[in-house]
């Protein structure tokens, strides 16, 4: 058995992490533009006013804005069938709440989509990827306010109509489930909260606003072009119990329900799952449901389910067990797995498990839209970058993904995260590199931005041309 014909092999990015040109062409500041750089041990800071001497990694990022032709050409050389990028909402509506869009911003994405088509690459567009216009934070405290739903739907209306013949695949929100954790308030919702207060109610209501916005966007998109395929996107963390102790098993199940399943259930099935009620009650969360919301959710179910997968987590009811780091969520140490330099536990078989689990539950096409290894790369004296560790990571995950297809999972595509080096979302670093393409830029923003293929570049080219058969 092989991957289906037309399988969407490719790479993934987000505007705030690679586009740069943060104030060019009429663009306004996004929430990401207000976040400083950081490191593995020094967290990024949120600033409400730009500080003069501070380095803001998104402002230039890797300047895809000025290099898009060169970058897309390299994606074409690798044989990409698809390229996942996000539209910077504040390039289209600089403050987020204007009534008329910014033509120069719209034109930029026209050019990018045309360039992709020229290289036979299908765009896969995330409508909102951790880059809410900062104007919406200032005016409404972001997604905490229901007013933002209307702004988002207006933005969708503009981009759906403008690109209806250029883009077929859309994702309404990147990792929408980031709002289930405190860390996600600003990044996922543009919400500024006092970290000392209990933010659960604010975040889960903001999440409800995003569910409503997503459902309205799906319905609208299908009206504008019935051929659109519009998906949800979840940060999926395969969750194991630490032992067969029933307490660990129940804890893992609960974590899985809230962190992984809640958002998919609502976006795929069109209603809140029954387990949500008890969780909300125990946490003192009251979701403000307006009349008609249930109908809206039902009418806006997504066409496909996409997710990011980097690692698995382990839950233990025993508070003395050693905890580790991870993508959004940590968990306890899994002695059977190795970790990346950033402490993320690498688990290719967990990807097979996750694909099976998700498909069993929803029975709609799936897509892995993020997977990859953040690592420190060394440029050798002869200029080469021998990233065998990245090849190993990707090979092992692709093998398990193919096993899941043999298990019967309907899989549309795979876009490796950060196919070109870009700014890390969690730490704001350039040092944490994911790409097949190296970009000369460091954590302080120094470097001439020139691009060069790493060893993994040619490896992935062969993977794509063999439709996933040649993994050596
Ligand atoms: C995902 C995000 O959570 O993980 C991306 O959707 C992010 O935006 C990716 O870049 C990898 O995380 P990080 O922190 O290593 O950049």
């Amino acid at each position: 058995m092989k991957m289906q014909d037309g399988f969407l092999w490719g790479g993934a990015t987000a505007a705030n992490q690679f586009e740069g040109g943060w104030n060019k062409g009429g663009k306004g500041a996004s929430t990401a533009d207000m976040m400083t750089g950081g490191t593995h041990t020094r967290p990024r800071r949120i600033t409400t006013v730009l500080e003069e001497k501070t380095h803001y990694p998104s402002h230039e990022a890797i300047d895809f804005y000025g290099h898009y032709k060169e970058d897309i050409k390299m994606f074409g050389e690798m044989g990409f069938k698809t390229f996942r990028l996000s539209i910077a909402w504040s390039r289209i509506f600089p403050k987020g709440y204007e009534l008329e869009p910014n033509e120069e911003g719209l034109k930029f994405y026209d050019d990018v989509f045309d360039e992709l088509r020229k290289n036979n690459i299908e765009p896969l567009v995330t409508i909102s990827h951790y880059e809410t216009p900062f104007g919406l934070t200032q005016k409404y405290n972001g997604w905490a306010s229901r007013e933002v739903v209307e702004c988002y739907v207006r933005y969708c209306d503009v981009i759906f109509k403008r690109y209806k013949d250029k883009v077929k695949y859309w994702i309404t929100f990147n990792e929408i489930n980031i709002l289930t954790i405190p860390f996600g308030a600003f990044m996922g919702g543009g919400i500024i909260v006092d970290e000392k207060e209990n933010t659960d109610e604010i975040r889960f209501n903001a999440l409800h606003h995003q569910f409503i916005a997503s459902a309205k966007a799906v319905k609208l998109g299908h009206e504008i072009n019935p051929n659109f395929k519009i998906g949800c996107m979840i940060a999926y963390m395969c969750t194991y119990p630490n032992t067969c102790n029933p307490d660990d098993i129940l804890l893992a199940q609960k974590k899985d329900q809230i962190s992984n399943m809640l958002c998919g259930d609502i976006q795929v099935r069109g209603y809140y799952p029954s387990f949500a009620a008890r969780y909300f009650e125990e946490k003192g969360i009251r979701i403000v449901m307006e009349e008609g919301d249930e109908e809206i959710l039902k009418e806006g179910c997504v066409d496909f389910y996409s997710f990011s997968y980097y690692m698995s987590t382990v839950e233990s009811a025993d508070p003395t067990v050693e905890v580790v780091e991870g993508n959004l969520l940590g968990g306890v140490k899994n002695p059977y797995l190795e970790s990346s330099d950033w402490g993320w536990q690498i688990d290719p078989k967990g990807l097979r498990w996750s694909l099976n689990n998700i498909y069993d539950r929803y029975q709609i096409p799936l897509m892995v839209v993020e997977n990859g290894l953040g690592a420190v790369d060394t440029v050798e004296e002869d200029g080469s970058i021998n990233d065998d560790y990245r090849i190993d990571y990707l090979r092992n995950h692709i093998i398990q993904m193919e096993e899941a297809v043999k298990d019967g999972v309907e899989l549309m595509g795979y876009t490796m995260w950060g196919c070109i080096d870009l700014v890390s979302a969690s730490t704001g670093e350039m040092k944490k590199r994911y790409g097949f393409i190296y970009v000369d830029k460091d954590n302080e923003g120094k470097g001439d931005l020139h691009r060069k293929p790493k060893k993994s570049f040619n490896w992935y080219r062969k993977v794509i041309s063999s439709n996933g058969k040649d993994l050596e």
Side-chain angles (χ1 to χ4, degrees):
M1 193 180 296
K2 61 178 177 74
M3 308 307 272
Q4 65 181 36
D5 289 340
F7 187 77
L8 293 168
W9 293 101
T13 55
N16 72 88
Q17 291 171 255
F18 92 133
E19 199 175 270
W22 78 285
N23 60 1
K24 291 191 180 154
K27 181 179 171 296
S30 74
T31 47
D33 296 326
M34 307 304 290
M35 292 181 74
T36 69
T39 63
H40 190 181
T41 49
R42 180 171 47 82
R44 304 182 77 175
R45 276 187 305 118
I46 298 165
T47 60
T48 49
V49 176
L50 291 177
E51 299 165 359
E52 240 176 62
K53 291 200 174 121
T54 298
H55 172 55
Y56 290 92
S58 69
H59 288 196
E60 182 188 55
I62 60 152
D63 192 31
F64 176 75
Y65 193 73
H67 291 72
Y68 71 91
K69 289 194 179 169
E70 178 187 347
D71 293 344
I72 291 172
K73 185 163 172 274
M74 290 179 91
F75 301 151
E77 281 164 15
M78 267 188 283
F80 276 22
K81 307 289 179 211
T82 190
F83 175 56
R84 177 178 173 226
L85 72 167
S86 66
I87 292 181
W89 182 352
S90 61
R91 202 175 279 295
I92 310 301
F93 287 97
K95 289 194 187 309
Y97 49 78
E98 297 90 341
L99 298 180
E100 295 303 322
N102 170 32
E103 175 55 33
E104 214 176 327
L106 287 167
K107 171 80 176 53
F108 171 67
Y109 293 107
D110 266 324
D111 295 345
V112 169
F113 298 144
D114 291 346
E115 200 62 27
L116 286 168
R117 289 266 170 243
K118 237 199 266 171
N119 286 272
N120 299 316
I121 301 173
E122 181 80 45
L124 164 63
V125 174
T126 314
I127 298 169
S128 177
H129 189 134
Y130 299 164
E131 52 215 355
T132 307
F134 190 60
L136 292 175
T137 299
Q138 291 173 308
K139 189 162 180 181
Y140 298 118
N141 201 17
W143 284 94
S145 163
R146 189 156 171 140
E147 303 277 349
V148 175
V149 173
E150 205 179 304
C151 301
Y152 176 89
V153 175
R154 188 180 307 123
Y155 159 54
C156 289
D157 186 54
V158 165
I159 58 174
F160 285 162
K161 286 182 178 149
R162 176 79 171 219
Y163 308 124
K164 77 175 173 20
D165 300 320
K166 297 189 181 187
V167 177
K168 175 176 174 188
Y169 297 100
W170 302 88
I171 289 169
T172 54
F173 287 93
N174 180 65
E175 296 188 335
I176 193 167
N177 53 332
I178 194 175
L179 274 172
T180 62
I181 56 168
F183 171 78
F186 188 71
M187 220 175 193
I191 305 167
I192 295 179
V193 285
D194 176 352
E195 278 168 16
K196 278 174 243 113
E197 71 182 323
N198 177 359
T199 64
D200 290 341
E201 187 159 74
I202 300 173
R203 282 184 289 101
F204 277 91
N205 273 288
L207 189 54
H208 180 67
H209 300 151
Q210 292 194 349
F211 292 143
I212 295 293
S214 172
K216 284 187 168 204
V218 172
K219 188 170 178 223
L220 177 70
H222 288 151
E223 282 161 11
I224 291 172
N225 184 346
N227 292 326
F228 277 176
K229 297 285 174 218
I230 309 175
C232 61
M233 199 291 205
I234 311 292
Y236 194 89
M237 234 80 60
C238 168
T239 309
Y240 305 125
N242 194 35
T243 68
C244 52
N245 178 340
D247 285 339
D248 285 355
I249 291 173
L250 278 169
L251 190 68
Q253 183 183 50
K254 197 164 179 189
K255 202 57 175 257
D256 185 47
Q257 287 176 330
I258 300 302
S259 304
N260 289 322
M261 295 308 185
L262 175 77
C263 298
D265 282 2
I266 295 166
Q267 292 185 285
V268 175
R269 296 166 166 173
Y271 55 89
Y272 276 78
S274 46
F275 59 75
R278 176 168 182 177
Y279 180 79
F280 292 154
E281 197 184 321
E282 285 177 0
K283 292 269 176 188
I285 298 168
R286 195 179 63 88
I287 301 291
V288 182
M289 279 270 183
E290 288 191 3
E291 212 187 311
D293 278 5
E294 285 183 4
E295 221 41 54
I296 293 170
L297 293 179
K298 254 190 229 132
E299 289 174 356
C301 297
V302 292
D303 302 309
F304 65 94
Y305 178 108
S306 74
F307 66 106
S308 60
Y309 180 86
Y310 293 91
M311 49 169 287
S312 56
T313 67
V314 181
E315 288 300 321
S316 171
D318 176 356
T320 62
V321 180
E322 184 192 350
V323 295
V324 293
E325 298 171 77
N327 181 24
L328 311 186
L329 293 177
V332 307
K333 189 164 173 48
N334 186 333
Y336 302 99
L337 301 178
E338 288 184 0
S339 297
S340 75
D341 293 344
W342 273 261
W344 297 15
Q345 304 193 103
I346 302 170
D347 183 8
K349 288 187 179 150
L351 176 58
R352 177 178 177 185
W353 187 93
S354 303
L355 282 160
N356 272 281
N357 195 42
I358 300 166
Y359 191 64
D360 282 352
R361 193 170 182 103
Y362 301 127
Q363 300 281 299
I364 63 170
L366 309 186
M367 186 155 176
V368 180
V369 292
E370 286 188 30
N371 172 237
L373 178 70
V376 178
D377 290 329
T378 308
V379 184
E380 305 295 343
E381 267 177 27
D382 64 359
S384 62
I385 299 148
N386 300 310
D387 55 343
D388 294 286
Y389 38 89
R390 180 166 296 111
I391 295 173
D392 285 345
Y393 176 102
L394 296 172
R395 178 195 294 117
N396 292 337
H397 282 81
I398 292 173
I399 288 172
Q400 294 305 321
M401 185 173 82
E402 295 181 347
E403 287 300 319
V405 170
K406 289 185 202 156
D407 294 334
V409 170
E410 192 183 345
L411 191 63
M412 296 160 60
Y414 172 85
T415 56
M416 180 272 211
W417 173 253
C419 46
I420 180 164
D421 288 347
L422 38 63
V423 174
S424 155
S426 57
T427 67
E429 292 171 288
M430 275 302 299
K431 188 177 162 195
K432 189 180 187 188
R433 296 174 182 274
Y434 284 87
F436 299 121
I437 301 167
Y438 184 86
V439 179
D440 182 32
K441 184 161 183 185
D442 66 17
N443 278 2
E444 282 71 48
K446 296 193 201 88
D448 65 11
L449 294 175
H450 80 260
R451 279 76 163 136
K452 74 161 91 164
K454 303 178 192 173
K455 188 173 177 183
S456 53
F457 183 99
N458 278 327
W459 174 82
Y460 197 51
R461 192 171 47 75
K462 284 196 291 167
V463 173
I464 297 178
S465 65
S466 65
N467 198 16
K469 276 206 186 104
D470 185 355
L471 296 170
E472 288 316 310

